[in-house]
Amino acid sequence: ISGPIAISGTQRLLSRPHDELFSALRGLGATVERKGAQWLLTPPAGGRWTARHLKLRGGESSQFASAVLLSAVGLDEDFTLIIEEPLRSRGYLELTLDFMRRAGMDVSQSRLASSTEIFVPAGSHPRAGATLHCEGDWSTAAGLLAVGVAAGVKRGSKSRLELEGLSPTSQQPDRAVLDWLGMMGCDPRWEGDRLVLDRVPARLRGLNGSAAESPDLVPVFAALAAIAEGRSEFHSAPDR
């Protein structure tokens, strides 16, 4: 692709902070410019990255680091991504690295005092014919669990919700939904590979939750907090 490529979207999407991603793309040899309601992206000449080392700030989002890593396929030379601490939503970056390794890519990680360095050797490719299982999304599951909680409160705990496809050992930050439900007095549990929610108190307790790593849980639990007793607080949420 020689470009330029025009990328457009809603005003909400355009207003989100993308400066760190644009900086990364420019560091790899691409050009990015804003033209009204569009971004114009021109890939590096020949489609080849011009940098073999790239530094990103991790305080905004781990999504930008994941985007760079998922593009680091079949490079002619070794590539090192340096992510400055603090790194927000590290769990999602770990998911990306796990996916790459399961796909057969040789990627390594070093956690230092002030940064995380990820090394992708030249010529790293996904394994041909690989079949990969993608675990369920805990962010989506949170909404379903909240419905189950509300139904349990209304029906006096005479309800049962079962969810399949989720990983009990997931590194997704929104797996914290289980801890937050516990703070409200609920008792979700595992039956084999199914997550079961059938123990809901008649009166939910308020909770105090840190949204630093799980901001998507705040709207879900704000709704549950409205039917809970006492005060609920959410802190450390990013400005979104």
Side-chain angles (χ1 to χ4, degrees):
I1 302 175
S2 58
I5 304 165
I7 303 172
S8 61
T10 63
Q11 184 58 40
R12 174 60 179 166
L13 175 63
L14 295 173
S15 65
R16 295 191 67 174
H18 294 90
D19 289 347
E20 192 65 20
L21 177 60
F22 293 161
S23 176
L25 291 172
R26 294 184 181 108
L28 294 172
T31 59
V32 184
E33 57 181 328
R34 181 75 177 267
K35 291 289 187 179
Q38 292 182 327
W39 295 303
L40 295 181
L41 168 66
T42 302
R48 297 293 183 181
W49 291 0
T50 59
R52 295 299 171 249
H53 294 80
L54 181 68
K55 182 177 289 188
L56 284 175
R57 294 191 300 269
E60 188 67 50
S61 171
S62 66
Q63 293 179 1
F64 304 146
S66 290
V68 170
L69 289 170
L70 290 173
S71 300
V73 177
L75 298 178
D76 294 332
E77 299 181 38
D78 296 343
F79 176 74
T80 301
L81 176 63
I82 303 170
I83 309 170
E84 297 178 342
E85 298 287 350
L87 173 57
R88 184 180 295 277
S89 300
R90 178 180 292 275
Y92 291 116
L93 177 64
E94 297 294 343
L95 282 174
T96 300
L97 295 174
D98 177 68
F99 182 84
M100 294 175 71
R101 293 186 183 110
R102 288 190 293 115
M105 296 184 68
D106 185 13
V107 56
S108 60
Q109 175 183 194
S110 299
R111 293 183 63 173
L112 309 177
S114 60
S115 65
T116 294
E117 296 188 4
I118 301 171
F119 176 74
V120 183
S124 187
H125 283 276
R127 185 174 60 255
T131 300
L132 302 177
H133 169 75
C134 293
E135 64 182 68
D137 178 37
W138 278 97
S139 304
T140 302
L144 298 175
L145 288 165
V147 172
V149 170
V153 170
K154 183 176 182 179
R155 300 178 62 182
S157 298
K158 296 179 180 179
S159 64
R160 179 182 176 92
L161 174 67
E162 297 183 6
L163 298 180
E164 297 180 350
L166 298 168
S167 170
T169 58
S170 175
Q171 298 187 78
Q172 295 181 49
D174 283 350
R175 185 182 174 279
V177 62
L178 300 181
D179 298 327
W180 288 28
L181 288 176
M183 282 189 280
M184 301 192 83
C186 303
D187 186 23
R189 67 186 191 283
W190 294 95
E191 291 185 357
D193 59 355
R194 295 183 180 184
L195 179 62
V196 176
L197 179 66
D198 60 358
R199 300 172 184 173
V200 177
R203 297 180 179 179
L204 297 175
R205 299 192 298 263
L207 78 154
N208 188 313
S210 172
E213 297 295 309
S214 306
D216 291 340
L217 294 183
V218 174
V220 173
F221 278 86
L224 287 181
I227 61 174
E229 294 188 345
R231 180 185 178 90
S232 292
E233 295 186 4
F234 309 97
H235 55 88
S236 302
D239 183 8
R240 298 178 65 176

